[in-house]
Amino acid sequence: MYIIALGINHHSAPLKVRERLSFSSDQIKQHLPILNSDPVVKGAVILSTCNRTEIYVATLDLAAALEQVRDFLSHYSCLDIATIKSCTYTHTLYEAVRHLFRVVSGLDSMIVGETEILGQVRSAYELAQTLGTPNVVLNTLFQQALAVGKKVRRETGIDQKAVSISYAAVELARKRFGKLSGCRVLVVGAGKMSSLAVRYMVEDGVADIIVANRSFERAEQVAGEYGGRAIRIDELFQYLSKVDIVISSTGAGHYVIRREDVANGLVGRAKEDLLLIDIAVPRDIEPTVGELPYVILYNVDDLKEVVECNLSYRSKLAVDGENIIDGELNNFMRWLSMRYAVPTITALKQRAELIKEEELVKAFGRLGKVSYHDTKVMSTLASSVLNQILHDPITRLKEYAVSSEGHVYTKIVQDLFNLDVDKQGGQYKIAERKRHVGS
């Protein structure tokens, strides 16, 4: 069984391309079962966050599965295959497992060690579980990945300092205004990213916070938790003349804040800068809003400068995290390799045993009447020869199975000995041969 990770992130593609390949929860519910229904796909999980979209697939045919995933993304995004290939990265087998372990540990994030990704991976896996798309390999992979993410954070302390996309947005605001204690802030959206932004703003001394959300009850909940005010989403433009900072993260999938509405909302405002930070993917704020006078607009890609300031602190701790991942990676690959090496070894033994039985039947038939003692001696001899012949190949296969190329050796043994290993349970298909022996 092979594992594939095909994805796109802030390193591989610009924001405008990532937007086309992002998935909401509802879109995953609609499209993941379609991908998983393809015969070459034995299990699948989609992870989609503000900075990445990744598809994890278990398959018996690497090339066919890769082609299917690319076709799936092409149809979903309306991007041609050439674009999909150029803007995505692909990891297979050993490196696919390593990649997921690094992702869930926050070592592959824009901000190294960020905390949100652990919950995002958990949510993606749990959603896939409700859809019934992960197979036993992906179930084990994601369960161990989540455990690895916790272990890296616990043993390195890499996430002890609050660092995230939401935190970076607050850092950006602080750099622009200096102290934030006197700033008035409007937060659009009441999801996790927005809630974190509110929390970090309050910790930085902001006392005047307004939360706008499509669900007014949710806006009240977030605002009430931090001593802010809640407004309805259609009221937000009335407050643009009264605030200094707007942070938006709604997950709406379309522009929530458009140039015309902002221009109208700024009428009568003093000639002071209005900072808008769009941390949503797809973007909430129409890009041309940044062209308006006294309006400064940043999106998630603009946070890279803030992110770089945190890298020096995180890089030393990340080395320890990589070492933990290496150990856990070996544990998982040992499990995966043995899962498919053991059925191959069983199949090899079963086939050899059947051949031995067939040849003994033929030999006894030619000898005629044979004493019990002679039958016992010949059977023991045949078993001894068989066991000695198989001993070294089986021993070597067990050793190779726990290496990064264990799947290759397993496949070679299956091909060399023409073993038909059942794809579900791994048992050698011997029914036809048994009927032949018994006839």
Side-chain angles (χ1 to χ4, degrees):
M1 184 69 66
Y2 305 112
I3 298 172
I4 297 171
L6 187 146
I8 182 172
N9 64 16
H10 58 281
H11 293 303
S12 69
L15 182 58
K16 64 180 181 180
V17 177
R18 300 203 306 274
E19 289 176 323
R20 300 278 291 275
L21 289 169
S22 66
F23 289 79
S24 66
S25 293
D26 287 340
Q27 288 168 328
I28 291 176
K29 291 176 184 176
Q30 178 183 354
H31 294 280
L32 181 54
I34 296 173
L35 172 64
N36 198 59
S37 66
D38 188 275
V40 301
V41 176
K42 304 304 180 184
V45 176
I46 294 178
L47 169 65
S48 189
T49 72
C50 64
N51 277 319
R52 75 176 69 242
T53 295
E54 294 179 344
I55 297 180
Y56 292 85
V57 164
T59 182
L60 298 167
D61 189 331
L62 269 177
L66 278 172
E67 182 179 356
Q68 176 59 30
V69 173
R70 289 179 179 132
D71 285 343
F72 168 77
L73 287 176
S74 178
H75 284 97
Y76 172 76
S77 64
C78 296
L79 296 171
D80 58 56
I81 293 295
T83 301
I84 296 294
K85 286 184 177 180
S86 67
C87 70
T88 57
Y89 47 84
T90 302
H91 301 290
T92 59
L93 307 169
Y94 196 84
E95 290 306 319
V97 178
R98 177 190 292 278
H99 177 73
L100 178 58
F101 285 4
R102 296 189 75 252
V103 167
V104 78
S105 300
L107 301 186
D108 191 64
S109 299
M110 180 185 288
I111 301 178
V112 176
E114 57 127 329
T115 57
E116 284 89 347
I117 190 63
L118 183 62
Q120 290 167 335
V121 172
R122 181 184 295 106
S123 296
Y125 170 55
E126 289 175 350
L127 178 55
Q129 279 188 306
T130 64
L131 300 172
T133 60
N135 67 344
V136 64
V137 171
L138 290 185
N139 277 326
T140 304
L141 171 63
F142 273 83
Q143 289 165 12
Q144 184 165 344
L146 291 169
V148 169
K150 292 178 182 178
K151 183 175 182 179
V152 168
R153 287 170 171 80
R154 182 177 65 252
E155 296 188 7
T156 67
I158 198 169
D159 65 341
Q160 288 181 359
K161 182 180 178 181
V163 181
S164 66
I165 295 297
S166 300
Y167 185 79
V170 177
E171 281 279 299
L172 194 62
R174 189 188 302 115
K175 286 187 176 182
R176 190 76 194 182
F177 289 97
K179 293 183 179 180
L180 298 180
S181 55
C183 290
R184 298 154 296 178
V185 180
L186 169 61
V187 177
V188 183
K192 187 171 183 179
M193 299 285 282
S194 299
S195 298
L196 281 172
V198 173
R199 170 187 158 192
Y200 294 139
M201 286 285 182
V202 170
E203 290 176 353
D204 247 302
V206 175
D208 191 354
I209 291 182
I210 303 166
V211 180
N213 192 56
R214 189 176 304 278
S215 166
F216 183 68
E217 291 75 15
R218 175 60 181 161
E220 284 186 312
Q221 181 182 350
V222 174
E225 186 175 352
Y226 297 101
R229 291 178 290 160
I231 63 172
R232 302 187 185 281
I233 194 75
D234 54 4
E235 297 178 298
L236 73 91
F237 300 107
Q238 302 173 26
Y239 288 83
L240 292 183
S241 61
K242 305 173 184 178
V243 299
D244 305 295
I245 302 166
V246 177
I247 298 179
S248 187
S249 178
T250 67
H254 57 77
Y255 295 140
V256 176
I257 300 174
R258 296 185 177 274
R259 176 177 177 142
E260 182 180 357
D261 295 320
V262 175
N264 292 335
L266 294 177
V267 173
R269 178 187 172 88
K271 293 182 178 181
E272 299 175 346
D273 287 344
L274 173 64
L275 175 63
L276 293 97
I277 306 175
D278 187 352
I279 58 176
V281 178
R283 284 173 281 190
D284 282 343
I285 304 175
E286 188 174 14
T288 55
V289 168
E291 299 171 1
L292 294 171
Y294 301 102
V295 173
I296 304 158
L297 173 63
Y298 293 108
N299 60 41
V300 290
D301 283 352
D302 297 317
L303 298 177
K304 289 179 180 178
E305 182 180 347
V306 179
V307 170
E308 289 171 0
C309 295
N310 298 299
L311 290 180
S312 58
Y313 168 73
R314 299 289 177 126
S315 59
K316 293 180 181 179
L317 297 178
V319 173
D320 295 333
E322 298 284 4
N323 291 334
I324 293 172
I325 286 173
D326 285 342
E328 296 298 326
L329 175 62
N330 289 334
N331 290 338
F332 177 81
M333 293 307 299
R334 184 176 295 107
W335 170 84
L336 181 62
S337 298
M338 290 307 296
R339 174 177 171 79
Y340 292 97
V342 169
T344 299
I345 292 170
T346 300
L348 179 60
K349 288 180 176 179
Q350 287 178 333
R351 179 166 189 185
E353 189 66 27
L354 281 173
I355 292 173
K356 182 197 77 173
E357 291 176 3
E358 290 177 344
E359 295 306 313
L360 282 174
V361 169
K362 292 178 184 177
F364 291 145
R366 289 193 294 268
L367 290 172
K369 189 175 181 179
V370 182
S371 68
Y372 174 80
H373 176 268
D374 290 343
T375 300
K376 188 76 171 177
V377 170
M378 292 179 64
S379 297
T380 301
L381 173 64
S383 295
S384 177
V385 171
L386 180 65
N387 290 336
Q388 290 187 55
I389 291 175
L390 292 182
H391 178 267
D392 285 343
I394 290 175
T395 300
R396 296 291 182 270
L397 183 56
K398 287 180 178 179
E399 293 173 353
Y400 295 144
V402 298
S403 70
S404 61
E405 296 182 341
H407 63 284
V408 176
Y409 290 100
T410 300
K411 186 66 168 61
I412 289 173
V413 170
Q414 291 177 8
D415 290 343
L416 285 175
F417 290 93
N418 193 28
L419 302 178
D420 187 6
V421 179
D422 184 272
K423 304 306 182 185
Q424 298 301 319
Q427 296 302 307
Y428 175 51
K429 295 180 180 177
I430 59 176
E432 292 296 325
R433 299 180 62 86
K434 280 185 175 178
R435 283 198 292 271
H436 175 71
V437 172
S439 60

